[in-house]
mmCIF file with all atom_site columns, all heavy atoms in Angstrom:
data_model
loop_
_atom_site.group_PDB
_atom_site.id
_atom_site.type_symbol
_atom_site.label_atom_id
_atom_site.label_alt_id
_atom_site.label_comp_id
_atom_site.label_asym_id
_atom_site.label_entity_id
_atom_site.label_seq_id
_atom_site.pdbx_PDB_ins_code
_atom_site.Cartn_x
_atom_site.Cartn_y
_atom_site.Cartn_z
_atom_site.occupancy
_atom_site.B_iso_or_equiv
_atom_site.pdbx_formal_charge
_atom_site.auth_seq_id
_atom_site.auth_comp_id
_atom_site.auth_asym_id
_atom_site.auth_atom_id
_atom_site.pdbx_PDB_model_num
ATOM 1   N N   . LEU A 1 1  ? 11.235 9.487   7.738  1.00 0.00 ? 1  LEU A N   1
ATOM 2   C CA  . LEU A 1 1  ? 11.417 8.236   8.480  1.00 0.00 ? 1  LEU A CA  1
ATOM 3   C C   . LEU A 1 1  ? 10.594 7.129   7.848  1.00 0.00 ? 1  LEU A C   1
ATOM 4   O O   . LEU A 1 1  ? 9.403  7.273   7.645  1.00 0.00 ? 1  LEU A O   1
ATOM 5   C CB  . LEU A 1 1  ? 10.994 8.435   9.947  1.00 0.00 ? 1  LEU A CB  1
ATOM 6   C CG  . LEU A 1 1  ? 11.051 7.196   10.835 1.00 0.00 ? 1  LEU A CG  1
ATOM 7   C CD1 . LEU A 1 1  ? 12.509 6.707   10.922 1.00 0.00 ? 1  LEU A CD1 1
ATOM 8   C CD2 . LEU A 1 1  ? 10.505 7.512   12.216 1.00 0.00 ? 1  LEU A CD2 1
ATOM 9   N N   . ARG A 1 2  ? 11.255 6.047   7.509  1.00 0.00 ? 2  ARG A N   1
ATOM 10  C CA  . ARG A 1 2  ? 10.591 4.871   6.970  1.00 0.00 ? 2  ARG A CA  1
ATOM 11  C C   . ARG A 1 2  ? 10.445 3.831   8.074  1.00 0.00 ? 2  ARG A C   1
ATOM 12  O O   . ARG A 1 2  ? 11.367 3.655   8.860  1.00 0.00 ? 2  ARG A O   1
ATOM 13  C CB  . ARG A 1 2  ? 11.415 4.256   5.833  1.00 0.00 ? 2  ARG A CB  1
ATOM 14  C CG  . ARG A 1 2  ? 11.473 5.081   4.608  1.00 0.00 ? 2  ARG A CG  1
ATOM 15  C CD  . ARG A 1 2  ? 12.361 4.425   3.533  1.00 0.00 ? 2  ARG A CD  1
ATOM 16  N NE  . ARG A 1 2  ? 12.037 3.027   3.373  1.00 0.00 ? 2  ARG A NE  1
ATOM 17  C CZ  . ARG A 1 2  ? 12.933 2.045   3.367  1.00 0.00 ? 2  ARG A CZ  1
ATOM 18  N NH1 . ARG A 1 2  ? 14.180 2.275   3.544  1.00 0.00 ? 2  ARG A NH1 1
ATOM 19  N NH2 . ARG A 1 2  ? 12.544 0.798   3.197  1.00 0.00 ? 2  ARG A NH2 1
ATOM 20  N N   . ARG A 1 3  ? 9.330  3.159   8.116  1.00 0.00 ? 3  ARG A N   1
ATOM 21  C CA  . ARG A 1 3  ? 9.122  2.097   9.072  1.00 0.00 ? 3  ARG A CA  1
ATOM 22  C C   . ARG A 1 3  ? 8.844  0.792   8.316  1.00 0.00 ? 3  ARG A C   1
ATOM 23  O O   . ARG A 1 3  ? 8.166  0.837   7.289  1.00 0.00 ? 3  ARG A O   1
ATOM 24  C CB  . ARG A 1 3  ? 7.950  2.406   9.982  1.00 0.00 ? 3  ARG A CB  1
ATOM 25  C CG  . ARG A 1 3  ? 8.205  3.599   10.868 1.00 0.00 ? 3  ARG A CG  1
ATOM 26  C CD  . ARG A 1 3  ? 7.004  3.854   11.743 1.00 0.00 ? 3  ARG A CD  1
ATOM 27  N NE  . ARG A 1 3  ? 7.275  4.929   12.672 1.00 0.00 ? 3  ARG A NE  1
ATOM 28  C CZ  . ARG A 1 3  ? 6.827  6.170   12.484 1.00 0.00 ? 3  ARG A CZ  1
ATOM 29  N NH1 . ARG A 1 3  ? 6.109  6.468   11.449 1.00 0.00 ? 3  ARG A NH1 1
ATOM 30  N NH2 . ARG A 1 3  ? 7.098  7.106   13.373 1.00 0.00 ? 3  ARG A NH2 1
ATOM 31  N N   . PRO A 1 4  ? 9.311  -0.350  8.801  1.00 0.00 ? 4  PRO A N   1
ATOM 32  C CA  . PRO A 1 4  ? 8.965  -1.604  8.128  1.00 0.00 ? 4  PRO A CA  1
ATOM 33  C C   . PRO A 1 4  ? 7.481  -1.860  8.265  1.00 0.00 ? 4  PRO A C   1
ATOM 34  O O   . PRO A 1 4  ? 6.856  -1.506  9.271  1.00 0.00 ? 4  PRO A O   1
ATOM 35  C CB  . PRO A 1 4  ? 9.791  -2.649  8.870  1.00 0.00 ? 4  PRO A CB  1
ATOM 36  C CG  . PRO A 1 4  ? 10.184 -2.027  10.170 1.00 0.00 ? 4  PRO A CG  1
ATOM 37  C CD  . PRO A 1 4  ? 10.173 -0.568  9.953  1.00 0.00 ? 4  PRO A CD  1
ATOM 38  N N   . THR A 1 5  ? 6.877  -2.481  7.237  1.00 0.00 ? 5  THR A N   1
ATOM 39  C CA  . THR A 1 5  ? 5.448  -2.790  7.288  1.00 0.00 ? 5  THR A CA  1
ATOM 40  C C   . THR A 1 5  ? 5.197  -4.277  7.424  1.00 0.00 ? 5  THR A C   1
ATOM 41  O O   . THR A 1 5  ? 4.080  -4.696  7.681  1.00 0.00 ? 5  THR A O   1
ATOM 42  C CB  . THR A 1 5  ? 4.742  -2.269  6.030  1.00 0.00 ? 5  THR A CB  1
ATOM 43  O OG1 . THR A 1 5  ? 5.397  -2.811  4.870  1.00 0.00 ? 5  THR A OG1 1
ATOM 44  C CG2 . THR A 1 5  ? 4.766  -0.736  5.970  1.00 0.00 ? 5  THR A CG2 1
ATOM 45  N N   . ASP A 1 6  ? 6.231  -5.066  7.208  1.00 0.00 ? 6  ASP A N   1
ATOM 46  C CA  . ASP A 1 6  ? 6.084  -6.528  7.407  1.00 0.00 ? 6  ASP A CA  1
ATOM 47  C C   . ASP A 1 6  ? 7.413  -7.085  7.871  1.00 0.00 ? 6  ASP A C   1
ATOM 48  O O   . ASP A 1 6  ? 8.465  -6.491  7.636  1.00 0.00 ? 6  ASP A O   1
ATOM 49  C CB  . ASP A 1 6  ? 5.592  -7.223  6.146  1.00 0.00 ? 6  ASP A CB  1
ATOM 50  C CG  . ASP A 1 6  ? 6.502  -6.989  4.961  1.00 0.00 ? 6  ASP A CG  1
ATOM 51  O OD1 . ASP A 1 6  ? 7.138  -5.937  4.888  1.00 0.00 ? 6  ASP A OD1 1
ATOM 52  O OD2 . ASP A 1 6  ? 6.591  -7.880  4.099  1.00 0.00 ? 6  ASP A OD2 1
ATOM 53  N N   . ARG A 1 7  ? 7.345  -8.192  8.572  1.00 0.00 ? 7  ARG A N   1
ATOM 54  C CA  . ARG A 1 7  ? 8.562  -8.827  9.087  1.00 0.00 ? 7  ARG A CA  1
ATOM 55  C C   . ARG A 1 7  ? 8.313  -10.318 9.238  1.00 0.00 ? 7  ARG A C   1
ATOM 56  O O   . ARG A 1 7  ? 7.180  -10.762 9.417  1.00 0.00 ? 7  ARG A O   1
ATOM 57  C CB  . ARG A 1 7  ? 8.985  -8.210  10.412 1.00 0.00 ? 7  ARG A CB  1
ATOM 58  C CG  . ARG A 1 7  ? 8.003  -8.380  11.558 1.00 0.00 ? 7  ARG A CG  1
ATOM 59  C CD  . ARG A 1 7  ? 8.427  -7.626  12.756 1.00 0.00 ? 7  ARG A CD  1
ATOM 60  N NE  . ARG A 1 7  ? 7.511  -7.865  13.899 1.00 0.00 ? 7  ARG A NE  1
ATOM 61  C CZ  . ARG A 1 7  ? 7.625  -7.284  15.056 1.00 0.00 ? 7  ARG A CZ  1
ATOM 62  N NH1 . ARG A 1 7  ? 8.633  -6.432  15.291 1.00 0.00 ? 7  ARG A NH1 1
ATOM 63  N NH2 . ARG A 1 7  ? 6.785  -7.560  16.035 1.00 0.00 ? 7  ARG A NH2 1
ATOM 64  N N   . THR A 1 8  ? 9.397  -11.082 9.165  1.00 0.00 ? 8  THR A N   1
ATOM 65  C CA  . THR A 1 8  ? 9.332  -12.536 9.287  1.00 0.00 ? 8  THR A CA  1
ATOM 66  C C   . THR A 1 8  ? 10.438 -13.000 10.203 1.00 0.00 ? 8  THR A C   1
ATOM 67  O O   . THR A 1 8  ? 11.575 -12.566 10.092 1.00 0.00 ? 8  THR A O   1
ATOM 68  C CB  . THR A 1 8  ? 9.499  -13.218 7.912  1.00 0.00 ? 8  THR A CB  1
ATOM 69  O OG1 . THR A 1 8  ? 8.490  -12.707 7.017  1.00 0.00 ? 8  THR A OG1 1
ATOM 70  C CG2 . THR A 1 8  ? 9.336  -14.730 8.025  1.00 0.00 ? 8  THR A CG2 1
ATOM 71  N N   . CYS A 1 9  ? 10.103 -13.883 11.144 1.00 0.00 ? 9  CYS A N   1
ATOM 72  C CA  . CYS A 1 9  ? 11.103 -14.431 12.047 1.00 0.00 ? 9  CYS A CA  1
ATOM 73  C C   . CYS A 1 9  ? 11.987 -15.415 11.286 1.00 0.00 ? 9  CYS A C   1
ATOM 74  O O   . CYS A 1 9  ? 11.496 -16.309 10.626 1.00 0.00 ? 9  CYS A O   1
ATOM 75  C CB  . CYS A 1 9  ? 10.423 -15.122 13.242 1.00 0.00 ? 9  CYS A CB  1
ATOM 76  S SG  . CYS A 1 9  ? 11.616 -15.887 14.385 1.00 0.00 ? 9  CYS A SG  1
ATOM 77  N N   . GLU A 1 10 ? 13.288 -15.220 11.411 1.00 0.00 ? 10 GLU A N   1
ATOM 78  C CA  . GLU A 1 10 ? 14.242 -16.107 10.735 1.00 0.00 ? 10 GLU A CA  1
ATOM 79  C C   . GLU A 1 10 ? 14.384 -17.460 11.408 1.00 0.00 ? 10 GLU A C   1
ATOM 80  O O   . GLU A 1 10 ? 14.925 -18.376 10.840 1.00 0.00 ? 10 GLU A O   1
ATOM 81  C CB  . GLU A 1 10 ? 15.593 -15.419 10.631 1.00 0.00 ? 10 GLU A CB  1
ATOM 82  C CG  . GLU A 1 10 ? 15.543 -14.171 9.742  1.00 0.00 ? 10 GLU A CG  1
ATOM 83  C CD  . GLU A 1 10 ? 16.890 -13.476 9.645  1.00 0.00 ? 10 GLU A CD  1
ATOM 84  O OE1 . GLU A 1 10 ? 17.766 -13.744 10.454 1.00 0.00 ? 10 GLU A OE1 1
ATOM 85  O OE2 . GLU A 1 10 ? 17.019 -12.625 8.736  1.00 0.00 ? 10 GLU A OE2 1
ATOM 86  N N   . ARG A 1 11 ? 13.894 -17.578 12.627 1.00 0.00 ? 11 ARG A N   1
ATOM 87  C CA  . ARG A 1 11 ? 14.005 -18.845 13.366 1.00 0.00 ? 11 ARG A CA  1
ATOM 88  C C   . ARG A 1 11 ? 12.786 -19.743 13.188 1.00 0.00 ? 11 ARG A C   1
ATOM 89  O O   . ARG A 1 11 ? 12.927 -20.920 12.922 1.00 0.00 ? 11 ARG A O   1
ATOM 90  C CB  . ARG A 1 11 ? 14.216 -18.574 14.847 1.00 0.00 ? 11 ARG A CB  1
ATOM 91  C CG  . ARG A 1 11 ? 15.530 -17.906 15.146 1.00 0.00 ? 11 ARG A CG  1
ATOM 92  C CD  . ARG A 1 11 ? 15.691 -17.678 16.617 1.00 0.00 ? 11 ARG A CD  1
ATOM 93  N NE  . ARG A 1 11 ? 16.928 -16.983 16.912 1.00 0.00 ? 11 ARG A NE  1
ATOM 94  C CZ  . ARG A 1 11 ? 17.438 -16.886 18.115 1.00 0.00 ? 11 ARG A CZ  1
ATOM 95  N NH1 . ARG A 1 11 ? 16.827 -17.391 19.150 1.00 0.00 ? 11 ARG A NH1 1
ATOM 96  N NH2 . ARG A 1 11 ? 18.563 -16.244 18.285 1.00 0.00 ? 11 ARG A NH2 1
ATOM 97  N N   . CYS A 1 12 ? 11.570 -19.168 13.374 1.00 0.00 ? 12 CYS A N   1
ATOM 98  C CA  . CYS A 1 12 ? 10.374 -20.038 13.357 1.00 0.00 ? 12 CYS A CA  1
ATOM 99  C C   . CYS A 1 12 ? 9.438  -19.749 12.194 1.00 0.00 ? 12 CYS A C   1
ATOM 100 O O   . CYS A 1 12 ? 8.453  -20.450 11.996 1.00 0.00 ? 12 CYS A O   1
ATOM 101 C CB  . CYS A 1 12 ? 9.608  -19.907 14.675 1.00 0.00 ? 12 CYS A CB  1
ATOM 102 S SG  . CYS A 1 12 ? 8.759  -18.325 14.905 1.00 0.00 ? 12 CYS A SG  1
ATOM 103 N N   . GLY A 1 13 ? 9.703  -18.687 11.409 1.00 0.00 ? 13 GLY A N   1
ATOM 104 C CA  . GLY A 1 13 ? 8.893  -18.396 10.231 1.00 0.00 ? 13 GLY A CA  1
ATOM 105 C C   . GLY A 1 13 ? 7.650  -17.578 10.485 1.00 0.00 ? 13 GLY A C   1
ATOM 106 O O   . GLY A 1 13 ? 6.875  -17.323 9.574  1.00 0.00 ? 13 GLY A O   1
ATOM 107 N N   . ARG A 1 14 ? 7.442  -17.109 11.714 1.00 0.00 ? 14 ARG A N   1
ATOM 108 C CA  . ARG A 1 14 ? 6.259  -16.282 12.014 1.00 0.00 ? 14 ARG A CA  1
ATOM 109 C C   . ARG A 1 14 ? 6.300  -15.010 11.168 1.00 0.00 ? 14 ARG A C   1
ATOM 110 O O   . ARG A 1 14 ? 7.307  -14.303 11.116 1.00 0.00 ? 14 ARG A O   1
ATOM 111 C CB  . ARG A 1 14 ? 6.274  -15.899 13.497 1.00 0.00 ? 14 ARG A CB  1
ATOM 112 C CG  . ARG A 1 14 ? 5.148  -14.986 13.912 1.00 0.00 ? 14 ARG A CG  1
ATOM 113 C CD  . ARG A 1 14 ? 5.349  -14.514 15.336 1.00 0.00 ? 14 ARG A CD  1
ATOM 114 N NE  . ARG A 1 14 ? 4.296  -13.644 15.787 1.00 0.00 ? 14 ARG A NE  1
ATOM 115 C CZ  . ARG A 1 14 ? 3.464  -13.919 16.776 1.00 0.00 ? 14 ARG A CZ  1
ATOM 116 N NH1 . ARG A 1 14 ? 3.611  -15.054 17.449 1.00 0.00 ? 14 ARG A NH1 1
ATOM 117 N NH2 . ARG A 1 14 ? 2.530  -13.067 17.127 1.00 0.00 ? 14 ARG A NH2 1
ATOM 118 N N   . ALA A 1 15 ? 5.184  -14.728 10.490 1.00 0.00 ? 15 ALA A N   1
ATOM 119 C CA  . ALA A 1 15 ? 5.089  -13.525 9.659  1.00 0.00 ? 15 ALA A CA  1
ATOM 120 C C   . ALA A 1 15 ? 4.109  -12.543 10.295 1.00 0.00 ? 15 ALA A C   1
ATOM 121 O O   . ALA A 1 15 ? 3.063  -12.959 10.787 1.00 0.00 ? 15 ALA A O   1
ATOM 122 C CB  . ALA A 1 15 ? 4.629  -13.887 8.259  1.00 0.00 ? 15 ALA A CB  1
ATOM 123 N N   . GLU A 1 16 ? 4.486  -11.274 10.319 1.00 0.00 ? 16 GLU A N   1
ATOM 124 C CA  . GLU A 1 16 ? 3.644  -10.230 10.894 1.00 0.00 ? 16 GLU A CA  1
ATOM 125 C C   . GLU A 1 16 ? 3.588  -9.035  9.958  1.00 0.00 ? 16 GLU A C   1
ATOM 126 O O   . GLU A 1 16 ? 4.532  -8.798  9.216  1.00 0.00 ? 16 GLU A O   1
ATOM 127 C CB  . GLU A 1 16 ? 4.182  -9.783  12.251 1.00 0.00 ? 16 GLU A CB  1
ATOM 128 C CG  . GLU A 1 16 ? 4.167  -10.836 13.301 1.00 0.00 ? 16 GLU A CG  1
ATOM 129 C CD  . GLU A 1 16 ? 4.630  -10.341 14.659 1.00 0.00 ? 16 GLU A CD  1
ATOM 130 O OE1 . GLU A 1 16 ? 5.237  -9.240  14.745 1.00 0.00 ? 16 GLU A OE1 1
ATOM 131 O OE2 . GLU A 1 16 ? 4.413  -11.032 15.644 1.00 0.00 ? 16 GLU A OE2 1
ATOM 132 N N   . GLN A 1 17 ? 2.476  -8.306  10.052 1.00 0.00 ? 17 GLN A N   1
ATOM 133 C CA  . GLN A 1 17 ? 2.313  -7.044  9.296  1.00 0.00 ? 17 GLN A CA  1
ATOM 134 C C   . GLN A 1 17 ? 1.898  -5.965  10.285 1.00 0.00 ? 17 GLN A C   1
ATOM 135 O O   . GLN A 1 17 ? 1.218  -6.225  11.260 1.00 0.00 ? 17 GLN A O   1
ATOM 136 C CB  . GLN A 1 17 ? 1.243  -7.165  8.227  1.00 0.00 ? 17 GLN A CB  1
ATOM 137 C CG  . GLN A 1 17 ? 1.655  -7.950  7.032  1.00 0.00 ? 17 GLN A CG  1
ATOM 138 C CD  . GLN A 1 17 ? 0.599  -7.950  5.957  1.00 0.00 ? 17 GLN A CD  1
ATOM 139 O OE1 . GLN A 1 17 ? -0.591 -7.833  6.241  1.00 0.00 ? 17 GLN A OE1 1
ATOM 140 N NE2 . GLN A 1 17 ? 1.044  -8.106  4.721  1.00 0.00 ? 17 GLN A NE2 1
ATOM 141 N N   . TRP A 1 18 ? 2.345  -4.732  10.004 1.00 0.00 ? 18 TRP A N   1
ATOM 142 C CA  . TRP A 1 18 ? 2.010  -3.588  10.851 1.00 0.00 ? 18 TRP A CA  1
ATOM 143 C C   . TRP A 1 18 ? 0.588  -3.129  10.553 1.00 0.00 ? 18 TRP A C   1
ATOM 144 O O   . TRP A 1 18 ? 0.217  -2.950  9.409  1.00 0.00 ? 18 TRP A O   1
ATOM 145 C CB  . TRP A 1 18 ? 2.995  -2.449  10.614 1.00 0.00 ? 18 TRP A CB  1
ATOM 146 C CG  . TRP A 1 18 ? 2.725  -1.263  11.494 1.00 0.00 ? 18 TRP A CG  1
ATOM 147 C CD1 . TRP A 1 18 ? 2.165  -0.084  11.104 1.00 0.00 ? 18 TRP A CD1 1
ATOM 148 C CD2 . TRP A 1 18 ? 2.958  -1.170  12.891 1.00 0.00 ? 18 TRP A CD2 1
ATOM 149 N NE1 . TRP A 1 18 ? 2.072  0.745   12.185 1.00 0.00 ? 18 TRP A NE1 1
ATOM 150 C CE2 . TRP A 1 18 ? 2.552  0.100   13.283 1.00 0.00 ? 18 TRP A CE2 1
ATOM 151 C CE3 . TRP A 1 18 ? 3.484  -2.016  13.834 1.00 0.00 ? 18 TRP A CE3 1
ATOM 152 C CZ2 . TRP A 1 18 ? 2.659  0.545   14.606 1.00 0.00 ? 18 TRP A CZ2 1
ATOM 153 C CZ3 . TRP A 1 18 ? 3.580  -1.587  15.140 1.00 0.00 ? 18 TRP A CZ3 1
ATOM 154 C CH2 . TRP A 1 18 ? 3.167  -0.327  15.510 1.00 0.00 ? 18 TRP A CH2 1
ATOM 155 N N   . ASN A 1 19 ? -0.210 -2.958  11.597 1.00 0.00 ? 19 ASN A N   1
ATOM 156 C CA  . ASN A 1 19 ? -1.573 -2.459  11.473 1.00 0.00 ? 19 ASN A CA  1
ATOM 157 C C   . ASN A 1 19 ? -1.561 -1.003  11.977 1.00 0.00 ? 19 ASN A C   1
ATOM 158 O O   . ASN A 1 19 ? -1.423 -0.773  13.181 1.00 0.00 ? 19 ASN A O   1
ATOM 159 C CB  . ASN A 1 19 ? -2.556 -3.298  12.272 1.00 0.00 ? 19 ASN A CB  1
ATOM 160 C CG  . ASN A 1 19 ? -3.980 -2.838  12.111 1.00 0.00 ? 19 ASN A CG  1
ATOM 161 O OD1 . ASN A 1 19 ? -4.272 -1.673  11.918 1.00 0.00 ? 19 ASN A OD1 1
ATOM 162 N ND2 . ASN A 1 19 ? -4.894 -3.791  12.209 1.00 0.00 ? 19 ASN A ND2 1
ATOM 163 N N   . ALA A 1 20 ? -1.679 -0.042  11.067 1.00 0.00 ? 20 ALA A N   1
ATOM 164 C CA  . ALA A 1 20 ? -1.618 1.365   11.447 1.00 0.00 ? 20 ALA A CA  1
ATOM 165 C C   . ALA A 1 20 ? -2.820 1.797   12.252 1.00 0.00 ? 20 ALA A C   1
ATOM 166 O O   . ALA A 1 20 ? -2.762 2.747   13.038 1.00 0.00 ? 20 ALA A O   1
ATOM 167 C CB  . ALA A 1 20 ? -1.502 2.232   10.182 1.00 0.00 ? 20 ALA A CB  1
ATOM 168 N N   . THR A 1 21 ? -3.934 1.120   12.100 1.00 0.00 ? 21 THR A N   1
ATOM 169 C CA  . THR A 1 21 ? -5.150 1.452   12.856 1.00 0.00 ? 21 THR A CA  1
ATOM 170 C C   . THR A 1 21 ? -4.996 1.189   14.342 1.00 0.00 ? 21 THR A C   1
ATOM 171 O O   . THR A 1 21 ? -5.346 2.017   15.190 1.00 0.00 ? 21 THR A O   1
ATOM 172 C CB  . THR A 1 21 ? -6.371 0.693   12.317 1.00 0.00 ? 21 THR A CB  1
ATOM 173 O OG1 . THR A 1 21 ? -6.487 0.931   10.913 1.00 0.00 ? 21 THR A OG1 1
ATOM 174 C CG2 . THR A 1 21 ? -7.639 1.096   13.016 1.00 0.00 ? 21 THR A CG2 1
ATOM 175 N N   . THR A 1 22 ? -4.380 0.038   14.657 1.00 0.00 ? 22 THR A N   1
ATOM 176 C CA  . THR A 1 22 ? -4.208 -0.320  16.065 1.00 0.00 ? 22 THR A CA  1
ATOM 177 C C   . THR A 1 22 ? -2.791 -0.030  16.583 1.00 0.00 ? 22 THR A C   1
ATOM 178 O O   . THR A 1 22 ? -2.503 -0.237  17.755 1.00 0.00 ? 22 THR A O   1
ATOM 179 C CB  . THR A 1 22 ? -4.482 -1.830  16.281 1.00 0.00 ? 22 THR A CB  1
ATOM 180 O OG1 . THR A 1 22 ? -3.574 -2.593  15.470 1.00 0.00 ? 22 THR A OG1 1
ATOM 181 C CG2 . THR A 1 22 ? -5.908 -2.161  15.913 1.00 0.00 ? 22 THR A CG2 1
ATOM 182 N N   . ASP A 1 23 ? -1.916 0.458   15.700 1.00 0.00 ? 23 ASP A N   1
ATOM 183 C CA  . ASP A 1 23 ? -0.503 0.715   16.037 1.00 0.00 ? 23 ASP A CA  1
ATOM 184 C C   . ASP A 1 23 ? 0.160  -0.491  16.674 1.00 0.00 ? 23 ASP A C   1
ATOM 185 O O   . ASP A 1 23 ? 0.807  -0.407  17.717 1.00 0.00 ? 23 ASP A O   1
ATOM 186 C CB  . ASP A 1 23 ? -0.386 1.927   16.990 1.00 0.00 ? 23 ASP A CB  1
ATOM 187 C CG  . ASP A 1 23 ? -0.600 3.240   16.288 1.00 0.00 ? 23 ASP A CG  1
ATOM 188 O OD1 . ASP A 1 23 ? -0.368 3.307   15.060 1.00 0.00 ? 23 ASP A OD1 1
ATOM 189 O OD2 . ASP A 1 23 ? -1.006 4.198   16.958 1.00 0.00 ? 23 ASP A OD2 1
ATOM 190 N N   . SER A 1 24 ? 0.017  -1.646  16.012 1.00 0.00 ? 24 SER A N   1
ATOM 191 C CA  . SER A 1 24 ? 0.621  -2.867  16.523 1.00 0.00 ? 24 SER A CA  1
ATOM 192 C C   . SER A 1 24 ? 0.904  -3.849  15.384 1.00 0.00 ? 24 SER A C   1
ATOM 193 O O   . SER A 1 24 ? 0.327  -3.752  14.290 1.00 0.00 ? 24 SER A O   1
ATOM 194 C CB  . SER A 1 24 ? -0.261 -3.530  17.574 1.00 0.00 ? 24 SER A CB  1
ATOM 195 O OG  . SER A 1 24 ? -1.488 -3.921  16.985 1.00 0.00 ? 24 SER A OG  1
ATOM 196 N N   . TRP A 1 25 ? 1.768  -4.830  15.672 1.00 0.00 ? 25 TRP A N   1
ATOM 197 C CA  . TRP A 1 25 ? 2.053  -5.898  14.719 1.00 0.00 ? 25 TRP A CA  1
ATOM 198 C C   . TRP A 1 25 ? 0.971  -6.968  14.856 1.00 0.00 ? 25 TRP A C   1
ATOM 199 O O   . TRP A 1 25 ? 0.529  -7.259  15.957 1.00 0.00 ? 25 TRP A O   1
ATOM 200 C CB  . TRP A 1 25 ? 3.420  -6.503  15.009 1.00 0.00 ? 25 TRP A CB  1
ATOM 201 C CG  . TRP A 1 25 ? 4.542  -5.591  14.679 1.00 0.00 ? 25 TRP A CG  1
ATOM 202 C CD1 . TRP A 1 25 ? 5.226  -4.790  15.558 1.00 0.00 ? 25 TRP A CD1 1
ATOM 203 C CD2 . TRP A 1 25 ? 5.106  -5.353  13.402 1.00 0.00 ? 25 TRP A CD2 1
ATOM 204 N NE1 . TRP A 1 25 ? 6.178  -4.075  14.889 1.00 0.00 ? 25 TRP A NE1 1
ATOM 205 C CE2 . TRP A 1 25 ? 6.136  -4.406  13.577 1.00 0.00 ? 25 TRP A CE2 1
ATOM 206 C CE3 . TRP A 1 25 ? 4.865  -5.845  12.129 1.00 0.00 ? 25 TRP A CE3 1
ATOM 207 C CZ2 . TRP A 1 25 ? 6.912  -3.958  12.510 1.00 0.00 ? 25 TRP A CZ2 1
ATOM 208 C CZ3 . TRP A 1 25 ? 5.644  -5.389  11.082 1.00 0.00 ? 25 TRP A CZ3 1
ATOM 209 C CH2 . TRP A 1 25 ? 6.634  -4.459  11.270 1.00 0.00 ? 25 TRP A CH2 1
ATOM 210 N N   . GLU A 1 26 ? 0.566  -7.575  13.724 1.00 0.00 ? 26 GLU A N   1
ATOM 211 C CA  . GLU A 1 26 ? -0.426 -8.656  13.728 1.00 0.00 ? 26 GLU A CA  1
ATOM 212 C C   . GLU A 1 26 ? 0.118  -9.823  12.947 1.00 0.00 ? 26 GLU A C   1
ATOM 213 O O   . GLU A 1 26 ? 0.751  -9.667  11.922 1.00 0.00 ? 26 GLU A O   1
ATOM 214 C CB  . GLU A 1 26 ? -1.723 -8.174  13.102 1.00 0.00 ? 26 GLU A CB  1
ATOM 215 C CG  . GLU A 1 26 ? -2.431 -7.083  13.901 1.00 0.00 ? 26 GLU A CG  1
ATOM 216 C CD  . GLU A 1 26 ? -3.738 -6.662  13.291 1.00 0.00 ? 26 GLU A CD  1
ATOM 217 O OE1 . GLU A 1 26 ? -4.042 -7.021  12.134 1.00 0.00 ? 26 GLU A OE1 1
ATOM 218 O OE2 . GLU A 1 26 ? -4.478 -5.941  13.991 1.00 0.00 ? 26 GLU A OE2 1
#
């Protein structure tokens, strides 16, 4: 199973990365 590690909102440009330590997007 692959999980995305980063993502960007196509509407407002917000960029987030996955933090494996906290199990959440930042």
Side-chain angles (χ1 to χ4, degrees):
L1 177 62
R2 291 178 47 230
R3 295 181 176 101
T5 56
D6 58 330
R7 63 187 184 182
T8 304
C9 178
E10 295 179 345
R11 294 181 182 193
C12 71
R14 177 188 180 117
E16 296 183 345
Q17 286 184 332
W18 181 254
N19 183 329
T21 305
T22 60
D23 286 334
S24 63
W25 290 98
E26 294 182 349

